[in-house]
Structures are given as C-alpha cells and as structure tokens.
Amino acid sequence: MTLAQLQRLYGASTASTTLISPSLSLSWYLQPQFAAYVQWRRSGRAPTSSERYGLWRSGIYRCNCIVVGDAGLKAETSNTFDIGVKGSPAPGVRLNGSVFYTQYKNFIGVTRYPRDRYPGMFANAPAHLVTIFKAGNRDKARIYGLELGTRLEHGTWTPALKGLYSSLAFGYSKGESRSSYEGDKYVPLDTVQPAKLIAGIGYDAPGKTWGVNLLGTFARGKQAQSTNRDSYRNTGSGLTESTVEFIRVPGFGRLDLWAYWQITPALRLDAGVQNLANKSHWLYSNARSYDASSAADWRRFQLAAQPGRSFNISLTATF
C-alpha cells in the first residue's frame, strides 16, 4: 500500500494512551512479626504500535486480504483484589497466604470482516481486498484463586535438629474469558496453570558450609478447552462451540535432589539430580494445545515430554 492509502486507512491523527496504575494496601499486625492485609491494584497494557498501526499482507499484488491495526484501541486493564497474611506467626515459622480475584477487560484480539457484510470498512481500502482482519478490544476475563507458602525451622523447637527445615507451597487458580462475539460465553482460560503443590525438606550445616534439599513437585492434570474465537468468520451468525478436543495433560509427581558445598567464601559447588524417579511427565504450559483426534499431534505430544532423570553440576566463583 502507498503512504496515501495508509493515511486514508488509519487517518492522520496520532493516538496516545495514558495509563494510571493506582494501588491501595491496608495492613494490620496480628502479632509483632505477623500481619494481615487487604490490597487493590489497577494495572494495564497500552496497545503496541503494531496493534494500532500495523499492516501485514501475504504477497504484494496477489493477496485479497489484509491484517491491520486500529488507531482507536483502548488499553487492556485489570483490577486485582487480594486478602492475605504474611510474616512469622510463631518462632521458626514463616507463613504467606492469600486469596485473589482479578478482572480483565479490553483484551486485544483480531476479528475477521468480510467486504460483503461490512462494506463501510472498505471505503478507504484498495478495491481488490475482500477481507480485513482488524485488531480490536474483543475479550474480557477473570482469574481467581489462592496461594499458600510456609517454611518451618525445626531446630527452633528441637535444638538437636538445628539446620533442618521443611517447606510447603500450594497454588490454585481458575480463569475464564469471553469475547464480544454474539453467542459466546465464558470458557476456561487455557493459559491458567493447574493446581500445584511443592513440598521440600532440607538441611543447612552450621555456617551454611554445605546443605542438601529434597524437593517434591506435584501437579494436577488438566485439559484445555478450545474456542472458535480466532477462526470466527463474522458473517452474521453467532459464534459456535468448538468441536476440537485437546489432549488432557496428565498430572505428575516429581522428586528433585539438590546439594551445595561452600568450598571457600568465594567458591561454591552445586549439584543436583532432577526427576529422581525417572518418571515420564508433561508440563501443561508446553503440551496443552494438541488435538486429541490428530495422530500427528499425539506424536508431538509424546515428544513434548519432560526429560527423564538428569544430572547437573556447577561451580560458582564470586569475586
């Protein structure tokens, strides 16, 4: 497209976005080292220059479609509410926990517009174009859940166990989104991770001259849910439900063993054995979008498995 065509398509004005991200936190101490809190945060993301003014064509003269930005895009925004506790409720105990809720709106997505249904959008476009894919504030979403973490120093209560500690961390969240398309509904967000529990037990020698830690990671299985939002043809009918079924990513339990040796104040040796039991497992974030009806995707899914038992060692010198 020529510069004149681009100016007709986007207009001559220059858009700008001002984002204000306030927050408010109220805390009260239940004990001198242990506090409860309530918090609110507002965040946002301004549209990028490509989302506002980007242009993409597959071929210069032969393509009959175009992907364009929208100079009038609004910023994506979110409001997060947290209620939790943090600190040390008793000697030898560290505790952090919260429940949260986040509301998102004006998520930016790309919508298909055919010329025969939206002729007004093609008034300033070249005559050979029949489809415009345009960025827009299309989706909204919400995510909520809880997080909990604690560490216990066992030597606080039993001097003979000084240096022995245990830790526990748990996270659970659920999210869902919907678009502005007619007929759409809230569908679980595929990017939200499944529940995970991490538990560990370890020992640090006096002066932390050496130490060892056994860590167990346990993740729940999850199956992502597909939508037709990104393939919606926008020809007048409502959005239909997707018939694609993704492969369910199974849950797993994995053990990792770590050790360190502080050889000198400036020299430290670290070594570890990951996936101690040599169990096959998959990370949901890496394997959530494989089609269960596709033999090729099943092969790709198998290739996406995490490594079996592995070893690593490193030597760090501090100057």
Side-chain angles (χ1 to χ4, degrees):
M1 298 180 73
T2 65
L3 178 60
Q5 288 174 322
L6 286 173
Q7 289 176 337
R8 288 199 303 270
L9 185 64
Y10 287 111
S13 62
T14 301
S16 63
T17 298
T18 300
L19 284 174
I20 300 176
S21 299
S23 64
L24 176 65
S25 180
L26 301 175
S27 301
W28 61 97
Y29 283 89
L30 307 175
Q31 295 181 18
Q33 302 296 325
F34 189 57
Y37 65 90
V38 176
Q39 184 173 259
W40 163 72
R41 300 188 307 274
R42 179 177 173 83
S43 303
R45 181 184 77 84
T48 65
S49 57
S50 61
E51 288 169 339
R52 274 187 166 148
Y53 302 107
L55 182 147
W56 179 85
R57 292 177 63 190
S58 178
I60 302 302
Y61 301 108
R62 298 179 181 179
C63 182
N64 60 3
C65 63
I66 193 170
V67 182
V68 298
D70 183 353
L73 281 176
K74 300 176 183 178
E76 298 178 347
T77 58
S78 67
N79 286 284
T80 300
F81 302 88
D82 291 275
I83 300 176
V85 293
K86 58 183 178 180
S88 177
V93 179
R94 292 287 303 177
L95 177 64
N96 296 282
S98 69
V99 293
F100 62 89
Y101 176 86
T102 304
Q103 181 78 52
Y104 303 88
K105 67 177 184 178
N106 292 327
F107 271 12
I108 297 171
V110 176
T111 298
R112 179 184 188 275
Y113 297 93
R115 180 186 283 269
D116 58 356
R117 183 165 178 80
Y118 299 91
M121 294 187 61
F122 292 78
N124 297 320
H128 70 278
L129 293 179
V130 298
T131 304
I132 289 178
F133 292 89
K134 189 174 184 180
N137 296 111
R138 196 189 69 185
D139 301 347
K140 58 183 179 180
R142 55 197 180 205
I143 299 176
Y144 51 92
L146 62 91
E147 297 175 339
L148 176 67
T150 184
R151 178 178 169 114
L152 306 178
E153 301 289 348
H154 298 279
T156 305
W157 314 290
T158 307
L161 299 179
K162 185 175 178 60
L164 183 69
Y165 63 87
S166 58
S167 60
L168 182 72
F170 175 73
Y172 168 81
S173 58
K174 186 174 182 179
E176 50 191 8
S177 68
R178 66 172 296 174
S179 71
S180 56
Y181 295 147
E182 180 185 353
D184 199 7
K185 63 180 181 181
Y186 276 103
V187 172
L189 274 171
D190 62 351
T191 55
V192 174
Q193 301 298 303
K196 180 181 289 187
L197 173 70
I198 301 175
I201 185 167
Y203 175 78
D204 287 322
K208 293 190 175 181
T209 54
W210 64 272
V212 63
N213 178 257
L214 179 65
L215 197 65
T217 302
F218 308 91
R220 187 179 182 183
K222 184 176 180 180
Q223 183 178 26
Q225 185 170 334
S226 175
T227 77
N228 286 334
R229 291 170 192 161
D230 290 335
S231 59
Y232 181 54
R233 299 189 66 80
N234 201 15
T235 56
S237 58
L239 183 70
T240 59
E241 292 190 16
S242 174
T243 59
V244 175
E245 181 178 351
F246 291 135
I247 297 173
R248 177 178 175 82
V249 181
F252 67 88
R254 190 185 78 187
L255 293 175
D256 300 321
L257 181 64
W258 301 92
Y260 71 88
W261 176 27
Q262 193 72 48
I263 304 172
T264 70
L267 199 62
R268 172 174 165 140
L269 180 68
D270 290 270
V273 184
Q274 295 173 285
N275 194 3
L276 194 62
N278 199 29
K279 296 290 187 178
S280 295
H281 65 288
W282 289 260
L283 298 181
Y284 172 79
S285 57
N286 294 346
R288 67 177 186 263
S289 300
Y290 291 111
D291 188 343
S293 65
S294 167
D297 270 11
W298 273 105
R299 290 192 293 270
R300 296 186 186 101
F301 177 77
Q302 295 301 323
L303 291 173
Q306 293 300 294
R309 185 184 299 115
S310 59
F311 306 86
N312 59 71
I313 187 169
S314 64
L315 183 65
T316 303
T318 305
F319 300 95

